[in-house]
Amino acid sequence: MSTWANLGLQDMASPLMEQLIFFHDHALLILVMITVLVGYLMFMLFFNNYINRFLLHGQLIEMIWTILPAIILLFIALPSLRLLYLLDEINEPSVTLKSIGHQWYWSYEYSDFNNVEFDSYMIPTNELETDGFRLLDVDNRIVLPMNSQIRILVTAADVIHSWTIPALGVKVDGTPGRLNQTNFFINRPGLFYGQCSEICGANHSFMPIVIESVPVNYFIKWISKN
């Protein structure tokens, strides 16, 4: 989760988020290089006293500043397209989770198991434990196995919601009458927090998401109790 004065992205907890952060750093490096070059040229214009009243055009420099940006765009576009295909790839899932957005809470169904479903509400501030996180903790966490391919199906019962876990690089719109899907792979244990990222009404800020990533044997024990 984000911490105080954290201006960067959260620590990655899945291979997809790792690739997203790599692409972010790659694109940011290109932007910094362009900004420095353009800033240097603009700064030097203030001290340039050379004029040439016979200079009407410069075909070479015009070719350079036309072709060079196109090449730079290719260095951004090709990794971006690769990443888009990686995000859309659905591998054989070990567990399927269905998430249904309501105003203003989430419902979850473990489709691979019989009668494993529950609602997840935010814990009010006056009922929060001393070590809880305000506006982020819920009464029923999603328990998922680590090092397993997870498929999530997202929909909504009333208005458009968005199921988002930044540390996993997952953001899926839940649209009434439509079933969207994506996949992720959690590569470490822990608690991962998210919130609805679609403006869905007055209590939009009060329907958080909490994933508890556990080893597979703990997940089997948990699912057998429910």
Side-chain angles (χ1 to χ4, degrees), residues 1-2 10 106 108 120 122 134-138 142 162-168 170 191-197 204-211:
M1 62 178 292
S2 294
Q10 296 183 24
W106 295 97
Y108 298 103
S120 181
M122 185 192 77
R134 178 177 171 270
L135 303 183
L136 283 177
D137 265 316
V138 296
I142 310 163
S162 185
W163 197 87
T164 307
I165 301 289
L168 301 178
V170 177
L191 293 176
F192 306 109
Y193 294 86
Q195 290 176 300
C196 176
S197 297
H204 154 69
S205 301
F206 306 106
M207 48 183 301
I209 306 156
V210 183
I211 289 181

Side-chain angles (χ1 to χ4, degrees), residues 1-202:
M1 62 178 292
S2 294
T3 54
W4 176 256
N6 183 5
L7 300 178
L9 299 170
Q10 296 183 24
D11 292 338
M12 73 282 286
S14 73
L16 290 178
M17 189 59 188
E18 185 178 341
Q19 292 296 318
L20 283 167
I21 291 177
F22 286 162
F23 175 71
H24 169 268
D25 295 343
H26 168 76
L28 192 63
L29 178 63
I30 294 174
L31 287 173
V32 168
M33 291 169 59
I34 293 172
T35 304
V36 169
L37 176 62
V38 173
Y40 170 76
L41 293 175
M42 291 178 67
F43 180 76
M44 292 306 296
L45 284 174
F46 290 105
F47 304 97
N48 186 3
N49 296 321
Y50 298 108
I51 58 172
N52 187 341
R53 64 193 180 94
F54 298 108
L55 182 63
L56 300 177
H57 58 81
Q59 290 185 341
L60 179 62
I61 188 63
E62 287 183 2
M63 287 181 62
I64 291 173
W65 71 41
T66 302
I67 295 173
L68 192 61
I71 295 173
I72 293 172
L73 285 175
L74 283 177
F75 276 95
I76 297 175
L78 294 178
S80 175
L81 288 171
R82 170 183 169 272
L83 189 54
L84 282 173
Y85 278 99
L86 279 175
L87 292 171
D88 273 345
E89 186 71 26
I90 302 293
N91 301 304
E92 293 185 8
S94 303
V95 176
T96 298
L97 176 70
K98 184 178 180 183
S99 174
I100 306 167
H102 302 268
Q103 288 184 316
W104 287 270
Y105 64 96
W106 295 97
S107 296
Y108 298 103
E109 301 174 6
Y110 287 78
S111 306
D112 303 312
F113 309 95
N114 292 327
N115 301 321
V116 181
E117 54 186 60
F118 53 85
D119 296 333
S120 181
Y121 289 86
M122 185 192 77
I123 300 176
T125 305
N126 58 348
E127 299 176 12
L128 203 60
E129 300 290 337
T130 52
D131 57 349
F133 295 105
R134 178 177 171 270
L135 303 183
L136 283 177
D137 265 316
V138 296
D139 54 358
N140 290 312
R141 295 171 177 167
I142 310 163
V143 179
L144 290 173
M146 58 181 283
N147 295 329
S148 301
Q149 200 69 41
I150 310 296
R151 174 175 60 183
I152 178 157
L153 308 173
V154 182
T155 187
D158 34 49
V159 298
I160 298 176
H161 298 275
S162 185
W163 197 87
T164 307
I165 301 289
L168 301 178
V170 177
K171 184 175 183 178
V172 189
D173 274 355
T175 309
R178 182 182 175 90
L179 203 62
N180 294 325
Q181 74 168 355
T182 190
N183 74 304
F184 54 89
F185 183 96
I186 308 174
N187 54 20
R188 60 186 173 89
L191 293 176
F192 306 109
Y193 294 86
Q195 290 176 300
C196 176
S197 297
E198 197 73 58
I199 300 176
C200 59

